[in-house]
Amino acid sequence: MRQGAQGSAEAGAPWTAVGRAGSGVPAGSGVPAAQARVPQQAGAVRGEHTHSEPPAPVAPRVRPVVQRASVRGQILDALRAALVAGDLRPGEVYSAPVLGERFGVSATPVREAMQQLALEGAVEVVPNRGFRVVERGVRELAELAEVRALIEVPVMLRLARTVPAERWAELRPLAEATVRAASSGCRATYAESDRGFHRAVLSLSGNAQLVQIAEDLHRRAQWPLVGGGPGIRGRADLIADAHEHTALLDALVARDLDVVRALVGEHFAGAAAAG
C-alpha cells in the first residue's frame, strides 16, 4: 500500500542537515553581537578630556550573503544520492516540508530541487501532496542502455584511434577510484564515481553537449527499479562493473577497437540487467 506524503518521508534513511532549519543559513553564521558594540575611547577610560576628538568610526555589521542556489544545489545532490541508494523509494510520495525538516532547511529549496528532478523524469508532481518517485521497469532501463551505447560506443572508438596513450594514462586514477568506491558497497558513492570516469573519457571528444547528454542518460540509468531497493546490485556486482573501467582503459591504450566495442556494450548491458 502506498503511503501518504508525510508517512512516506518518515520511512527514509538518515539525512544530513544542510544549514539551519527554515532558513538555509548554516548554524552559527553571522558576526557575534559583542563585535557590534562601540568600543570605549582610550581617553575616556583614563579620565582625559575627549570632547574635541571625533568619535571612533563604527564598522557596519557584516552579514554573510546567503547563496540560495548553493543550498538548492546541495539539496539536489542529496536527493539524487537518496534516489540511487534507494532511500527515496519508487511509488512513494514525499512532501517538501517533511523533507525540509530532515535536511534542516525550509521547504522552498527542497521543492525547487524536486521540481528539477521532475524535469529529469525522476519524480512526478502530486497536487497538494508532494512528489512521487517514478516507478521504472526493466524495459526502460534496457532502452537507456541502448541509447547510451548508440552515443558512447562510436565516440570511444574514434577516441581510441586518435587519443595518445599518455592521455589515457591520466584517467587511470579515476578508474581505480571507481574500484575503491565499489568496494565500499555504497551504491550512491559508486554511482558518482562511475559517472565521473565516463564523463572524463567523453570529455576528450571536446564536445560539451555530448558530455552533458550522456551524463543525463547515465544518471537516469542509475535510478533503482520498482521493488529493487538499494541491494539489488550488491558489492560484488559493483566491483565487477568497476573493473571493466580499467579493462576499457587497457583496450583504449592498445587501440584494440574490437575489445573496446565489446567492453562498452557489455558494460551497459550489465548495468541494465542488474538494475
Side-chain angles (χ1 to χ4, degrees):
M1 179 181 299
R2 293 180 180 173
Q3 302 177 10
Q6 191 83 6
S8 301
E10 292 300 329
W15 301 74
T16 301
V18 181
R20 188 171 64 240
S23 67
V25 182
S29 62
V31 179
Q35 295 184 13
R37 297 172 184 169
V38 180
Q40 290 183 310
Q41 299 180 17
V45 175
R46 296 192 302 268
E48 300 175 1
H49 297 288
T50 59
H51 61 274
S52 61
E53 300 177 5
V58 179
R61 183 174 180 177
V62 179
R63 292 183 179 274
V65 178
V66 178
Q67 298 293 337
R68 183 169 139 185
S70 176
V71 175
R72 183 174 63 247
Q74 293 179 53
I75 298 298
L76 180 58
D77 289 342
L79 289 173
R80 283 172 170 167
L83 273 172
V84 175
D87 296 333
L88 294 179
R89 299 183 179 276
E92 298 292 342
V93 177
Y94 298 87
S95 71
V98 172
L99 291 178
E101 290 180 3
R102 289 181 176 269
F103 283 120
V105 299
S106 68
T108 299
V110 177
R111 188 174 293 109
E112 292 173 347
M114 279 293 201
Q115 289 170 347
Q116 175 60 38
L117 289 177
L119 292 176
E120 296 175 3
V123 301
E124 57 187 8
V125 178
V126 181
N128 302 320
R129 292 184 62 194
F131 301 85
R132 177 183 290 115
V133 179
V134 171
E135 299 177 277
R136 304 186 318 136
V138 175
R139 178 171 180 174
E140 181 179 346
L141 201 59
E143 290 174 349
L144 286 169
E146 181 180 2
V147 176
R148 289 185 65 201
L150 289 172
I151 293 176
E152 296 192 35
V153 171
V155 175
M156 290 190 185
L157 291 175
R158 175 167 59 84
L159 293 176
R161 299 186 188 98
T162 59
V163 175
E166 56 268 22
R167 293 297 304 276
W168 294 123
E170 295 173 1
L171 303 187
R172 185 74 59 179
L174 291 177
E176 295 171 349
T178 66
V179 176
R180 291 194 298 272
S183 298
S184 71
C186 176
R187 248 181 107 159
T189 300
Y190 177 69
E192 183 176 356
S193 183
D194 184 28
R195 289 196 312 274
F197 173 78
H198 283 264
R199 181 171 58 247
V201 171
L202 296 177
S203 293
L204 294 177
S205 69
N207 189 329
Q209 298 302 317
L210 167 71
V211 173
Q212 182 61 57
I213 291 172
E215 180 155 7
D216 289 342
L217 291 169
H218 194 170
R219 191 187 303 278
R220 291 174 60 189
Q222 293 173 330
W223 299 336
L225 298 178
V226 175
I232 192 168
R233 290 193 78 187
R235 181 171 174 271
D237 295 322
L238 298 181
I239 292 175
D241 192 76
H243 278 299
E244 291 178 357
H245 295 148
T246 56
L248 175 61
L249 274 185
D250 292 338
L252 289 168
V253 169
R255 296 192 173 182
D256 192 331
L257 303 186
D258 290 337
V259 174
V260 170
R261 183 183 293 106
L263 281 172
V264 177
E266 291 173 4
H267 190 64
F268 293 160

